[in-house]
Amino acid sequence: MTAVAAGAAPATPAAAAPGMLPVGLANKIVLERSGGFTGEQTAFVVDRSTVGGRPALRMAGSVRFLRLRPAYEPKNACCDRYAYRITVTYRTGFHKTVSTVQGTKAPRILWDTIGQAERYGVRPFTPR
């Protein structure tokens, strides 16, 4: 028989509570990067099996990430910058996509998640 101390009972998953965000349930990140000087198009995938990918999944599952707007665009779109589209899949089936352009003012959580996905993500394909 296992005893559970008061206050130590398992918490109800965030996704189970109506109106709650699926915090901490990021399953997969797909980061698409295009542009730059060469017009490159590439993608990075981070999932639960990606070596070094857990911090990116934690960031993508945070309330701060989930509250991001769908897009952060620059005032001036010129000049060989990278464009990013990051799509996060959550264990609940929910998807969140955020787009931005290199050098755009956006919340740090977005840039940190993009940086982690670029650093640790697997490059399985080149989007067309």
Side-chain angles (χ1 to χ4, degrees), residues 4-126:
V4 177
T12 303
M20 295 291 291
L21 297 172
V23 177
L25 300 175
N27 225 18
K28 182 178 181 181
I29 299 169
V30 176
L31 174 65
E32 296 173 74
R33 181 180 72 190
S34 61
F37 182 71
T38 62
E40 162 192 345
Q41 289 190 342
T42 192
F44 304 85
V45 175
V46 176
D47 63 21
R48 296 170 55 85
S49 68
T50 304
V51 175
R54 297 269 182 195
L57 291 170
R58 277 194 299 275
M59 284 187 264
S62 72
V63 171
R64 290 182 306 150
F65 188 90
L66 286 159
R67 289 186 175 156
L68 290 173
R69 296 189 318 245
Y72 294 87
E73 301 298 328
K75 291 179 183 178
N76 180 356
C78 85
C79 308
D80 299 325
R81 299 181 198 179
Y82 282 118
Y84 297 97
R85 184 170 69 184
I86 187 167
T87 301
V88 180
T89 304
Y90 298 87
R91 285 185 261 177
T92 60
F94 176 75
H95 290 72
K96 178 169 184 70
T97 300
V98 181
S99 299
T100 193
V101 175
Q102 184 179 26
T104 301
K105 185 175 180 175
R108 183 177 181 107
I109 189 71
L110 177 58
W111 293 117
D112 288 348
T113 307
I114 287 170
Q116 288 288 307
E118 284 179 314
R119 183 172 183 180
Y120 295 105
V122 176
R123 294 169 57 161
F125 62 91
T126 300

